[in-house]
Amino acid sequence: AGAVDGIFYNPAGLGFLDGGEFSFSYTNWLVNSKLYTGALTYRVGSNVWGISIVSAKPEAVEETTIFEPNGTGRTIEAGDIAIGLAFARRMTDKVSWGAHVRWIREDLFVATSSSVEFDMGISAYTGYKSYRIAASARNVGKEITVETEPFSPPISFDFGLSGEVLGRKEDPSYLTLSVETLYATDFGHRWHVGGEYWLWNMLALRGGFKTN
């Protein structure tokens, strides 16, 4: 990812940004839940600094029990939030690395947990046309215990290749293709392929496919 949203996927991509960028989004999601994301980056010399936030908020509901099926009068609220600080540095005109540390808090109503997790990555242009390769490790952290049950964060490792097969990024219209192999501790190995076709700098058509 070559824009500010790369902070969520591979912080190394931020090293190729110039000046400052920001992105904010709000989504009405399943069963009236809300999803918020935000990111801000700014270059200072050879380094790029960034901050991020992700928050998911399910709809508040009234508690019901077997003996009080119409409600107890108590409201159940839950949700989670992750706030991060990212750093990226362009080592050469073709190679960048980055790191992203996040404080994460999850409220499950009956229990609350918090943790600190890290993302790390590297991104490089191959020198052949616009093709680039990247690798990252995400959600690296220690075990978390909720109540009495310990569990590991969903650590994932990925390696990918992308490039423009038609036109260049500077052109009004161009086609980018990508392929990625990803391994995550909570669901195993996947392959991802995708494409993005920009039309006249106005419309982006995107599609992809995931295996497993």
Side-chain angles (χ1 to χ4, degrees), residues 4-44:
V4 62
D5 286 324
I7 197 171
F8 300 116
Y9 304 102
N10 185 344
L14 304 179
F16 296 110
L17 301 182
D18 294 316
E21 291 192 14
F22 69 91
S23 171
F24 297 100
S25 71
Y26 162 74
T27 304
N28 279 315
W29 197 228
L30 302 175
V31 292
N32 297 320
S33 61
K34 306 286 190 294
L35 177 66
Y36 307 87
T37 68
L40 173 68
T41 61
Y42 194 79
R43 172 173 289 280
V44 181

Side-chain angles (χ1 to χ4, degrees), residues 44-129:
V44 181
S46 299
N47 306 322
V48 175
W49 294 88
I51 55 176
S52 69
I53 184 169
V54 178
S55 178
K57 188 71 175 173
E59 183 181 28
V61 296
E62 185 179 1
E63 179 186 44
T64 59
T65 68
I66 294 175
F67 301 107
E68 297 180 275
N70 294 322
T72 65
R74 189 165 68 151
T75 300
I76 294 177
E77 294 186 87
D80 53 47
I81 188 170
I83 300 173
L85 175 66
F87 170 84
R89 183 176 179 87
R90 189 188 303 177
M91 306 300 292
T92 71
D93 62 337
K94 290 184 170 59
V95 179
S96 173
W97 68 272
H100 186 201
V101 57
R102 289 174 297 131
W103 174 78
I104 301 171
R105 175 185 172 90
E106 187 165 30
D107 185 357
L108 303 174
F109 184 66
V110 295
T112 300
S113 66
S114 62
S115 65
V116 175
E117 296 178 5
F118 299 88
D119 302 338
M120 298 163 285
I122 187 168
S123 180
Y125 284 85
T126 64
Y128 177 70
K129 296 185 177 180

Side-chain angles (χ1 to χ4, degrees), residues 172 197-205:
Y197 186 39
W198 270 96
L199 294 170
W200 312 296
N201 282 333
M202 293 176 60
L203 177 67
L205 304 176

Side-chain angles (χ1 to χ4, degrees), residues 188-211:
H189 185 245
R190 287 182 178 177
W191 283 91
H192 299 165
V193 293
E196 177 184 73
Y197 186 39
W198 270 96
L199 294 170
W200 312 296
N201 282 333
M202 293 176 60
L203 177 67
L205 304 176
R206 296 171 182 152
F209 183 77
K210 299 178 181 181
T211 67

